[in-house]
Amino acid sequence: MTALGVGLATTLKGRNPMVEGFGLIAFASLTPMIFVLIYGMVA
């Protein structure tokens, strides 16, 4: 997951790979947890 985020951020020109990669990793890690929490509240 870390390599995927940093690799994707590296291909985007004009951005810092470490900062952008960390943001992508955080978003990819938190999205499933948020959906499970919302599903738990609804269901």
Side-chain angles (χ1 to χ4, degrees), residues 1-41:
M1 185 67 82
T2 304
L4 187 64
V6 173
L8 181 62
T10 303
T11 60
L12 301 173
K13 299 297 181 193
R15 297 186 180 187
N16 186 356
M18 295 310 291
V19 174
E20 296 295 327
F22 180 75
L24 290 170
I25 294 164
F27 182 70
S29 299
L30 290 176
T31 304
M33 288 186 251
I34 291 170
F35 280 121
V36 168
L37 288 172
I38 292 171
Y39 181 74
M41 289 189 292

